[in-house]
Amino acid sequence: MALCMTKMTFSPKKILALDVLVLVLLTCYILAGVEKVPFHGDESTIIWMSADFDTVVLKGDISAVTYSPPSRRTTEQHLRILNGTLTRWVMGSAWYIAGFDRQDLNDQWVWGPDMEWNRANGHRPSDRLLKTTRLASAGFLVVSVALVLAMTRLVAHQVFSNPLISAIAGWLSASLYALNPVVLMNGRRAMFEGPMLFGLALVGWAVLRLVNRSSSGKSYLLIGVTAGIALSTKHSAAFTIALLFFGLGLAEWSKLKTQIILKLGLASMTTLLIFLALTPLWWSKYLPDMPHIVLDERQKLLDEQVVLFGGYEGWGERLEGLWRGTFGVEPQYYEADYWSDYVGVSEENRQYENSHLAGITSPVFVGIRFLLAVVGLSSVGLGWRQDGKSRIVGLWMIGILLLSWLTIPLDWQRYYLPIQTPLALVMGLGGAAILQTILYRRSSKHGVV
């Protein structure tokens, strides 16, 4: 029996039901591995930093967290300068709701002594506290999966004429994203990466949702709110926000011309206001100096990491690192080699990998991801002139690859995570394009078009 492309249709209700089914299955998979993911010392430090929730929200002592020089290394203030704030508020809310108080929090992780010393001296969280804060992070990862599906669907409707092919693109993107071992490991840990992935997907969805719709001021306010949330998760989100705003400007220029400058200005101002509202560190007379202070301290941190752990020697090594960070699926459980000498680390890694909850780790998956990305980018390229959404996705994907290649100085896998959001979208489009080509050829072979 001939397979006709025009008959490949599902009702919207059936597609919605399958959306829910896919997301429920992926959510169960993500949450099932929360307790098994290997521990990282940074989890202790970030949980320790969530004490700011008690200081600011529960006690109302904002002055205790606002900036005052100098910013000494390893202090609470130094870590506030280096990192976003949303994760701290979310983790604090999670342990507060679970019945913990500030006295139950662990101390900052001490690098140098081994795992057992940190545990014995109160520098590692209790198992229950760790699980609680990990679930908060994993919850953000779960929502980001739904947003990746929604983003892909928005673009696929412009690229593919058949609704079922568009639906399949969304399911593929969500699955490839959620089953990526690198995304899973980082998103499950009680660290900044889960909320960051959520923030990037949120602002991406808000921008893509606007294209080809009414370009009201409210829509740009919404984009600004989502961008402010994303920026408050991790400062590196600024790269993604800048690319998306630039892409939106190009996509809407022919329709709005000079109005787009004012509306993007509105979105940018809203972004800064939301970021400031979530970042009490900046609420001081030093506000005008804070961008410079943050950039300076982050550069010092990167320079120190390069000295301690070794950086790339040239652009070729940077390109190899970019390949591993983009298409590689082997999780980097720890950045420092000496971590592998700690008692129990190898066993934790082995148990996690044998649990069948670590994602798809087959080397073949690397090649599949690359193929889907190439085909997906080609599909986006075909719609570059006519479709604003394709233009934004293309700029986002290529731009974040170039920026990562130029700015990341050492082989730390989690620094490449912002690539995974647009990459999942592009790979979903690539898989759907391949499926559409196969079905079209089968239809043509049987004389059905």
Side-chain angles (χ1 to χ4, degrees), residues 32 36 144 276-277 301 373 390 411 446:
K36 295 183 179 296
S144 76
L276 287 173
L301 176 65
S390 294
D411 190 15
H446 289 86

Side-chain angles (χ1 to χ4, degrees), residues 11-29:
S11 69
K13 288 185 178 180
K14 287 183 179 179
I15 289 176
L16 178 60
L18 286 170
D19 285 347
V20 172
L21 177 62
V22 168
L23 292 174
V24 167
L25 291 174
L26 293 175
T27 296
C28 291
Y29 187 81

